[in-house]
Amino acid sequence: MSQQLYKRALVTGGAGFIGSHLAKALIEEGLEVVILDNLSVGKIENVPEGAQFIEGDLLDNKSLRKAISNVDIVFHNAAKVSIRASLETFADDANNNIMGTLNLLKICNEASIRKLVSASSMAVYPDSPIAKSISEDSEAAPLTPYGISKLAGENYCLQLGRMMGFDVTILRYFNTYGIGQAFTPYVGVVTIFINRLLAGKSPKIFGDGKQIRDFVSVEDIVQANIKAMQYSHGWEVFNVGSGRGTSVYEIAQILIRELAPEIQAEFAAEHPGEVKNSVADISKISQFLHYQPKGVLEHDLREIATYYRSISQRKSG
């Protein structure tokens, strides 16, 4: 347990993949934890023991005011995540990710919180023609409506946090993986590939598979949030990744070897709006927050594959 700077935390989206891991870690740090989640993606069984759960939406002032009562730090992870589908759902993205964030900021101001740690995304960056590391000083030029909504949320949090007098830290998550990630056809290539392989289907790669991503474990995302909580110099933006690039084809091959060696990857046309290369420069977060990623991708993928294979076998048995 670290030195406790805060007593009571609100985790928006705390019944989701990242939020539930974070909520559990905050309880272990000695904080009282409140979770606000509308359960559109999150699951009630993800809520860790010891957390207070309130079902509600960021646009529901009654639920939000109840959740933020006596809170001194907010971890904002609630969002509509739909990079691949955001052209069709851009209005929903904006309503959830922009208007929801603005309403949260308004209630944070009413509640006189001391700090906000807000989750953003590598989707705020443009494509890179080569697999070079992207620093926080790089141009923010999103390729998708989802990325636009996340960048707008960042700017509102930083600007209004200053004006309202509470500390803000923005964390730009790269491609997060781990146990408990909800399956959707749009987010989380590791989970998508595992689901297809366990169903006896080929992992489908959009494009040539040579696109390079920075895959970061959910445990390292949680580590970054805890270190951001302990950082009190305010209004900074940090990349959160592993600092290493891995091709989507390599991910498919690792999981094929583990789950279904007889299956081959399938290729399909690339999706417009998806970046080809995206690797985090983590020198800033390493310097300021003393963040050091601990995830080892191939080892972690084998563990995740084994975990989901055992679940699949229990269901079929």
Side-chain angles (χ1 to χ4, degrees), residues 88-312:
E88 291 80 23
T89 63
F90 65 86
D92 286 341
D93 281 1
N95 196 43
N96 284 272
N97 300 343
I98 299 177
M99 298 310 298
T101 297
L102 283 171
N103 201 50
L104 174 64
L105 288 166
K106 180 183 74 173
I107 305 300
C108 283
N109 187 43
E110 289 178 10
S112 300
I113 69 155
R114 292 166 51 205
K115 185 174 180 73
L116 171 68
V117 180
S118 187
S120 188
S121 168
M122 42 72 65
V124 304
Y125 294 118
D127 197 8
S128 172
I130 58 173
K132 64 177 182 178
S133 297
I134 305 168
S135 74
E136 294 85 350
D137 293 331
S138 300
E139 177 189 21
L143 299 182
T144 63
Y146 170 75
I148 292 170
S149 74
K150 295 305 288 185
L151 183 59
E154 283 188 18
N155 288 330
Y156 277 123
C157 288
L158 291 167
Q159 179 69 20
L160 292 176
R162 284 183 183 275
M163 295 171 65
M164 294 171 174
F166 54 82
D167 187 64
V168 174
T169 303
I170 303 291
L171 299 178
R172 289 175 176 166
Y173 300 164
F174 278 64
N175 294 77
T176 310
Y177 66 85
I179 291 171
Q181 188 169 37
F183 172 71
T184 82
Y186 306 117
V187 178
V189 68
V190 171
T191 304
I192 292 169
F193 283 175
I194 287 173
N195 272 269
R196 288 187 65 85
L197 286 164
L198 289 174
K201 300 177 182 178
S202 297
K204 185 179 289 186
I205 297 173
F206 295 94
D208 61 11
K210 295 179 181 178
Q211 55 267 50
I212 301 296
R213 300 282 186 270
D214 187 325
F215 293 92
V216 55
S217 74
V218 68
E219 288 82 7
D220 285 327
I221 295 287
V222 168
Q223 177 202 161
N225 276 271
I226 298 298
K227 290 184 179 295
M229 173 177 68
Q230 297 159 349
Y231 179 77
S232 57
H233 300 288
W235 306 295
E236 291 283 0
V237 177
F238 297 103
N239 288 335
V240 188
S242 68
R244 298 183 299 274
T246 305
S247 74
V248 173
Y249 181 76
E250 287 177 80
I251 296 293
Q253 290 305 302
I254 292 169
L255 294 172
I256 286 171
R257 286 196 299 269
E258 188 64 29
L259 292 173
E262 72 282 2
I263 290 179
Q264 293 186 338
E266 173 187 331
F267 293 86
E270 66 182 48
H271 281 287
E274 284 195 338
V275 298
K276 289 185 173 63
N277 297 297
S278 178
V279 180
D281 180 339
I282 57 171
S283 55
K284 181 180 178 183
I285 191 171
S286 298
Q287 177 186 351
F288 284 79
L289 303 190
H290 307 294
Y291 163 87
Q292 292 298 329
K294 297 179 173 60
V296 179
L297 182 60
E298 186 161 354
H299 172 269
D300 293 346
L301 291 184
R302 289 197 300 267
E303 283 199 341
I304 294 166
T306 299
Y307 173 82
Y308 283 111
R309 178 171 53 203
S310 67
I311 290 177
S312 177

Side-chain angles (χ1 to χ4, degrees), residues 62-80:
K62 183 178 178 181
S63 296
L64 189 49
R65 286 191 175 101
K66 180 180 177 182
I68 210 167
S69 177
N70 297 316
V71 160
D72 47 13
I73 182 167
V74 174
F75 294 86
H76 179 31
N77 280 266
K80 184 175 176 61

